């Protein structure tokens, strides 16, 4: 739920016409990055999904992985927009990106090495985009590990948040990002300092937790993400010369 704030950050940047060349994500961030850059949904389409997504939809989808085959049709009928969105994800590819994005990176946690696995446009390891995005958001025990062959090595991948929640160096070293806007939605008191090549934004979301109603929390999280991209942040971006001084927020 907290990760939905990434949508607000992205909306504010797009409205300010900030060009996004590279986008990487872990866990919910991976879902948003993939649906925007690889599936090609607009930010308005992504945000419109928020009030239509119910906790029950996600629960019934999870139960499909733990139920006999005869129950799958009954469960699928109760998963709302989840099946349609997953079908679109499975058709997407790392080498066919949208909205001007040239490189996409996804972080998963490898259960066998107990290390993050960084999959990207630069190195897919032969893994399908749909599979690694599902894996990056596979929170245990709700969802089982996603299994595949990474350049001939069998891997079992789960939620990237288990080992790498803020993949800053991944964006820099693997995908060549020179300047980063980092949306930090973690539940932490750690204060990260921006510098001349990095701007950290942290949506204010005290009290957002897993027990709140999804339809109530997600729109609020989006608004929190939008609010944290302040006029001061946009002024710094003008200093980077990525947006015109005359561009309105």
């Amino acid at each position: 739920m907290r990760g939905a704030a990434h949508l607000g950050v992205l909306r504010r940047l797009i409205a300010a016409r900030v060009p996004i060349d590279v986008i990487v994500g872990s866990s919910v961030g991976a879902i948003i990055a993939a649906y925007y850059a690889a599936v090609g949904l607009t930010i308005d389409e992504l945000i419109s999904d928020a009030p239509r997504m119910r906790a029950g939809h996600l629960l019934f989808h999870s139960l499909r992985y733990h139920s006999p085959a005869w129950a799958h049709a009954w469960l699928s009928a109760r998963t709302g927009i989840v099946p349609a969105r997953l079908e679109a994800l499975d058709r997407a590819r790392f080498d066919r990106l949208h909205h001007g994005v040239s490189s996409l990176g996804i972080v998963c946690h490898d259960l066998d090495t107990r290390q993050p696995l960084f999959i990207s446009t630069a190195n897919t390891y032969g893994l399908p985009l749909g599979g690694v995005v599902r894996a990056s958001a596979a929170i245990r025990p709700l969802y089982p590990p996603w299994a595949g062959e990474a350049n001939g090595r069998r891997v079992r991948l789960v939620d990237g948040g288990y080992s790498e929640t803020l993949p800053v160096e991944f964006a820099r070293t693997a995908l060549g990002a020179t300047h980063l806007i980092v949306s930090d939605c973690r539940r932490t008191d750690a204060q990260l300092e921006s510098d001349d090549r990095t701007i950290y934004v942290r949506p204010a979301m005290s009290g957002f937790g897993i027990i709140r109603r999804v339809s109530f929390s997600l729109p609020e999280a989006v608004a929190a993400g939008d609010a944290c991209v302040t006029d001061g942040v946009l002024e710094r971006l003008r200093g980077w010369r990525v947006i015109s001084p005359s561009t309105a927020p």
Side-chain angles (χ1 to χ4, degrees), residues 17-30:
R17 299 179 184 175
V18 176
I20 300 172
D21 303 308
V22 173
I23 186 167
V24 303
S26 179
S27 193
V28 176

Side-chain angles (χ1 to χ4, degrees), residues 80-180:
I81 64 173
V82 173
R85 285 295 181 250
L86 290 178
E87 288 175 10
L89 184 65
D90 288 335
R91 293 192 296 269
R93 293 165 39 175
F94 278 104
D95 60 354
R96 189 174 59 210
L97 303 179
H98 305 270
H99 305 304
V101 178
S102 60
S103 296
L104 169 66
I106 304 296
V107 183
C108 297
H109 177 72
D110 188 330
L111 286 176
D112 296 324
T113 65
R114 298 183 181 181
Q115 296 292 325
L117 182 64
F118 301 105
I119 308 105
S120 69
T121 304
N123 187 359
T124 67
Y125 294 92
L127 296 170
L129 182 140
V132 299
V133 174
R134 289 170 185 257
S136 188
I139 301 172
R140 303 172 74 190
L142 288 176
Y143 299 99
W146 184 87
E149 294 280 340
N151 289 347
R153 180 176 71 89
R154 192 69 173 168
V155 293
R156 295 181 304 129
L157 306 177
V158 293
D159 194 302
Y162 287 119
S163 55
E164 181 61 78
T165 56
L166 213 62
V168 172
E169 289 308 311
F170 176 32
R172 290 199 192 283
T173 59
L175 298 177
T178 58
H179 293 71
L180 295 177

